[in-house]
Amino acid sequence: MSKYEVAEPHVLGPEVVVPCCPPIAAGELSVPDAKRMAVMFKALSDPVRLRLFSKVASHPAGEACVCDIMDVGVSQPTVSHHLKKLREAGLLTSERRGTWVYYRVAPSVVAAMSAMLDLRPAAAGS
Amino acid sequence: MSKYEVAEPHVLGPEVVVPCCPPIAAGELSVPDAKRMAVMFKALSDPVRLRLFSKVASHPAGEACVCDIMDVGVSQPTVSHHLKKLREAGLLTSERRGTWVYYRVAPSVVAAMSAMLDLRPAAAGS
């Protein structure tokens, strides 16, 4: 698996990994790659989603119950909606245990997003 | 200047640099940091904007005239609108020379976005 493989949102679900995407400075993005990347960046384009994402990413246990992270000033259904968007974009994975759903960051997807923003020309072939 | 300093969109303009933002896994994001970061990620949440951004970032001269990059399947006013959004978010800088406006990537801003997605816990204090 190359370092540019991340989850394909919507089509395959967050657990299935397909090739995506080259560093943004490596050349002109293809239309399909641009569409895939836009979905991931869109997931982080909302301040409440970013705060929820950071709460999961920084949680000591490496995962967070929705009950741990819902103090972001919006209703529980809104929290659930935002967590669903993050999951659909492949940035979080989730698992139901008993009453609650537990969330984890998908580290390979987030690392791939970080690599996409690598501006060094050599990164394209490394 | 720390590595977390990037342009503050809207308030100060793309050339002025203010502190922003810690890695997303370093702890819970503050509301102001989440708002700043959301503006930057929102700028990359559109496929056409991503393609324009990659055309500028990968252009051999390190900068691109709007005349070089407008073949993305939308009208010139729409191209100008998208480039304005990228500039307002601090991701591109621009300079008018003669008839055309030339765009460059703001490397420190893009590097800061990449660093925000660094999931290593140690990154917070490094």
Side-chain angles (χ1 to χ4, degrees):
Chain A
M1 186 191 304
S2 90
K3 68 176 179 176
Y4 306 142
E5 295 184 6
V6 300
E8 164 74 78
H10 305 309
V11 180
L12 300 173
E15 285 76 26
V16 183
V17 171
V18 297
C20 174
C21 296
I24 208 159
E28 291 186 20
L29 275 181
S30 70
V31 173
D33 278 353
K35 285 183 178 169
R36 280 195 202 105
M37 288 172 68
V39 169
M40 289 186 277
F41 286 118
K42 192 173 178 68
L44 295 181
S45 70
D46 179 276
V48 174
R49 279 207 289 278
L50 273 170
R51 287 174 62 211
L52 288 168
F53 187 71
S54 80
K55 278 172 175 278
V56 174
S58 63
H59 209 264
E63 69 173 11
C65 167
V66 68
C67 57
D68 294 327
I69 58 174
M70 49 197 284
D71 57 333
V72 287
V74 297
S75 68
Q76 188 176 347
T78 302
V79 168
S80 296
H81 166 80
H82 284 311
L83 289 169
K84 183 175 174 225
K85 291 281 181 190
L86 288 164
R87 212 179 57 223
E88 284 176 346
L91 300 178
L92 293 181
T93 59
S94 65
E95 183 187 354
R96 177 174 289 277
R97 292 204 297 276
T99 308
W100 294 104
V101 178
Y102 291 79
Y103 290 88
R104 282 185 173 272
V105 169
S108 64
V109 179
V110 180
M113 288 182 75
S114 181
M116 286 174 210
L117 294 171
D118 190 338
L119 292 178
R120 292 167 297 179
S126 66
Chain B
M1 189 190 301
S2 90
K3 68 177 179 176
Y4 306 142
E5 295 185 6
V6 299
E8 164 75 77
H10 305 309
V11 180
L12 300 174
E15 286 75 27
V16 182
V17 171
V18 298
C20 177
C21 297
I24 208 159
E28 292 186 21
L29 276 181
S30 70
V31 173
D33 278 352
K35 285 183 177 169
R36 280 193 203 107
M37 289 173 68
V39 169
M40 290 186 276
F41 285 118
K42 192 173 179 67
L44 296 181
S45 70
D46 179 276
V48 174
R49 279 207 289 278
L50 274 170
R51 287 174 62 211
L52 287 168
F53 187 71
S54 78
K55 278 171 176 279
V56 174
S58 64
H59 209 265
E63 69 173 11
C65 167
V66 66
C67 57
D68 293 328
I69 57 174
M70 49 198 284
D71 57 333
V72 287
V74 298
S75 68
Q76 188 177 348
T78 303
V79 168
S80 296
H81 166 79
H82 284 310
L83 290 170
K84 183 174 174 226
K85 291 280 181 190
L86 288 164
R87 212 179 57 224
E88 285 177 345
L91 300 179
L92 292 182
T93 59
S94 65
E95 184 188 353
R96 177 175 288 279
R97 292 203 299 273
T99 308
W100 294 104
V101 178
Y102 291 79
Y103 290 88
R104 283 185 173 274
V105 169
S108 64
V109 179
V110 180
M113 288 181 76
S114 180
M116 286 174 210
L117 295 171
D118 190 337
L119 292 177
R120 292 168 297 180
S126 66

